Amino acid sequence: MTGPLAEVLEGQRAADLQRAARALLKEPLLTADGPYTDEFRLVRRHATELRDWFTRNVGWTLRTDADAARLRKTPGTLTDATHPAREASRTGLPFTRRRYVLLCLTLAALERGEAQVALGRLAEQVVLAAADPELVAAGIMFTLERRDERLDLAAVVRLLLRLGVLRRVAGDEEAYVSGSGDVLYDVRRRVLAGMPAALRGPSLIEARDFTGRLVEMTEQSALDSDELRFRAIRWKLTRRLLDDPVLYYDDLADDELGYLTRQRGFITARISELTGLVAEVRAEGIAMVDPHDDLTDVRMPEQGTLGHVTLLLAQHLTWADGPVTPSELALRVRELAAEHGNFWSRSAREPGAEPALVEQAVTKLDALGLVERTARGVVPRPALARYAVGDAVVREPGARQSGVRQSGVRYSGDER
């Protein structure tokens, strides 16, 4: 088929493929009856093309069936802790170490269990698993007799409900937390089976330290040829451009920077073709900017008190010549409260609220790649220059993060 109709159909196909790819980057686990039902259908329709692209360009595998689509992602940076799992609630508080352990124990219990499970019974299985001597030696102990422990388990279950691993049949988690009732769930075993994203199973890992275990779980086969080494570099760079808000040249090893210098146009063009992201290249690095401003888990600027405080501190930090301590930032927040407090929530104006506001603001700026935490204090990074006082672009939409990109980022300096 040729002519205008063929061009329209090809344009629609490309748009559907892009929408499917963006959905997988934003939610790597999609279910047939979840909030992204239409996108799930598109992923199924374009599964072959998507699978080929992710395998070839980033080394990620895509598994699809009638129930779910699972993109098994390996991060480009294993040490980035700025995008944690969060409560499936309005507060969106990040998971603690205890909740991560509970999540793993819960998944293990569900894998061994039946097609339906009550929360009380699930709790019993988790307590039994937590009695493992190695966990006890590591300081991990659960009785789930205390309310705070039951709240942690409820948070884990709600995350699994949001992901589609569990489906609530009857009851409510609040009743379990208060000790006045129980909850019954269907266990969706196909979705559950797709949860692990590691290249090697945890039982096959020999390293004992945390960093070593992460490396073993995600490492590829031995890179014994130039072709394999170049492929590994290409995968890492593409992963970081897809997942990180900013890719700074200074963060790259010499061989990675050399490869990116030679292949930058090819890599960014491939990403743009699949996702619609636009490469913004500056002297200090690259950001893949999202014109639609929806492929993100962290935004800036943002509405509300915290969004305002974060933007004001970002503007303050753009003038810093070196590290700024949290206490200095808290003092600045106190000064800002006197000037802007009428627009802030009452709790943010309370004496002593400054350290918590600083911590939340710096956490967001760190996640956006705009600052770096050091032992001496908070250090601004080049992309923060976009938020200097009087910079009109602070209201522009921008890049995202996987999770995926984030706020639009422009750099100082000439384009490289």
Side-chain angles (χ1 to χ4, degrees):
M1 182 184 299
T2 59
L5 179 57
E7 293 180 4
V8 170
L9 293 175
E10 176 57 26
Q12 184 61 53
R13 187 204 65 81
D16 288 346
L17 177 64
Q18 185 177 112
R19 184 180 174 192
R22 290 168 63 90
L24 284 170
L25 291 172
K26 189 173 183 178
E27 295 285 345
L29 175 57
L30 300 172
T31 57
D33 58 352
Y36 297 95
T37 301
D38 292 341
E39 288 80 358
F40 171 78
R41 294 195 187 100
L42 291 177
V43 170
R44 289 265 287 169
R45 185 184 307 164
H46 297 281
T48 299
E49 192 169 355
L50 290 166
R51 188 178 295 112
D52 291 345
W53 195 96
F54 286 119
T55 299
R56 182 172 61 254
N57 291 281
V58 283
W60 296 341
T61 60
L62 174 63
R63 181 186 65 83
T64 60
D65 58 36
D67 293 327
R70 175 63 161 130
L71 180 62
R72 289 190 171 96
K73 298 178 62 181
T74 301
T77 305
L78 297 178
T79 56
D80 182 9
T82 61
H83 299 276
R86 295 185 177 275
E87 286 186 7
S89 65
R90 184 180 61 83
T91 60
L93 293 175
F95 266 35
T96 60
R97 177 172 181 260
R98 185 165 71 179
R99 288 188 178 183
Y100 279 119
V101 175
L102 273 175
L103 174 60
C104 294
L105 294 177
T106 299
L107 290 172
L110 291 172
E111 181 64 31
R112 295 189 298 266
E114 304 296 331
Q116 281 193 331
V117 65
L119 183 50
R121 174 57 179 161
L122 182 60
E124 293 173 0
Q125 295 172 337
V126 168
V127 169
L128 287 174
D132 183 287
E134 291 195 25
L135 287 176
V136 174
I140 304 298
M141 296 181 64
F142 296 110
T143 64
L144 297 178
E145 294 177 356
R146 303 198 314 266
R147 177 180 173 83
D148 62 318
E149 289 186 336
R150 295 196 299 273
L151 278 170
D152 283 342
L153 181 59
V156 166
V157 166
R158 285 170 178 149
L159 175 64
L160 296 179
L161 285 167
R162 187 185 72 80
L163 293 173
V165 175
L166 298 176
R167 181 187 290 120
R168 189 185 295 110
V169 176
D172 183 82
E173 290 76 33
E174 288 300 324
Y176 165 77
V177 171
S178 65
S180 61
D182 209 339
V183 197
L184 181 65
Y185 306 102
D186 285 334
V187 181
R188 305 178 68 185
R189 306 205 66 81
R190 287 187 177 180
V191 182
L192 173 64
M195 284 294 290
L199 298 178
R200 298 176 62 192
S203 62
L204 301 176
I205 305 303
E206 297 180 356
R208 307 302 296 176
D209 64 291
F210 179 70
T211 302
R213 291 180 67 83
L214 279 180
V215 171
E216 283 194 35
M217 291 175 68
T218 57
E219 67 180 355
Q220 304 289 335
S221 57
L223 306 178
D224 55 1
S225 70
D226 288 342
E227 181 180 355
L228 290 177
R229 283 191 288 272
F230 288 145
R231 186 190 68 179
I233 292 174
R234 184 177 74 251
W235 283 358
K236 181 177 180 180
L237 293 172
T238 307
R239 289 169 181 174
R240 294 194 62 177
L241 287 168
L242 284 171
D243 272 350
D244 296 346
V246 187
L247 175 61
Y248 289 108
Y249 299 131
D250 287 347
D251 293 339
L252 301 177
D254 290 343
D255 57 345
E256 294 168 349
L257 180 58
Y259 187 89
L260 182 59
T261 301
R262 297 190 303 271
Q263 300 292 331
R264 184 187 70 198
F266 171 78
I267 293 175
T268 56
R270 294 287 289 173
I271 294 175
S272 297
E273 180 183 8
L274 180 74
T275 65
L277 302 175
V278 179
E280 191 171 89
V281 182
R282 300 288 164 174
E284 301 89 353
I286 304 173
M288 298 302 300
V289 177
D290 181 11
H292 303 293
D293 193 29
D294 68 347
L295 199 57
T296 181
D297 63 347
V298 181
R299 281 186 169 81
M300 180 175 169
E302 190 175 46
Q303 298 294 322
T305 298
L306 180 58
H308 192 200
V309 171
T310 303
L311 182 60
L312 292 172
L313 284 183
Q315 294 173 344
H316 174 68
L317 284 166
T318 59
W319 297 98
D321 294 328
V324 182
T325 65
S327 59
E328 290 172 329
L329 290 176
L331 178 60
R332 179 57 181 159
V333 169
R334 197 173 305 131
E335 295 170 347
L336 291 169
E339 182 178 355
H340 303 282
N342 290 337
F343 303 101
W344 295 2
S345 65
R346 179 179 300 177
S347 61
R349 300 195 303 268
E350 294 291 333
E354 298 86 6
L357 290 171
V358 168
E359 174 60 26
Q360 294 178 75
V362 171
T363 295
K364 174 169 287 194
L365 294 174
D366 187 19
L368 291 166
L370 301 176
V371 302
E372 180 181 6
R373 295 179 188 261
T374 71
R376 297 172 56 203
V378 179
V379 179
R381 304 207 72 183
L384 190 66
R386 151 166 281 198
Y387 298 97
V389 174
D391 190 345
V393 300
V394 298
R395 292 183 296 277
E396 291 183 0
R400 91 250 135 274
Q401 143 108 11
S402 148
V404 259
R405 200 116 303 268
Q406 267 99 250
S407 143
V409 184
R410 296 188 184 277
Y411 311 117
S412 59
D414 298 326
E415 183 169 341
R416 180 166 173 168

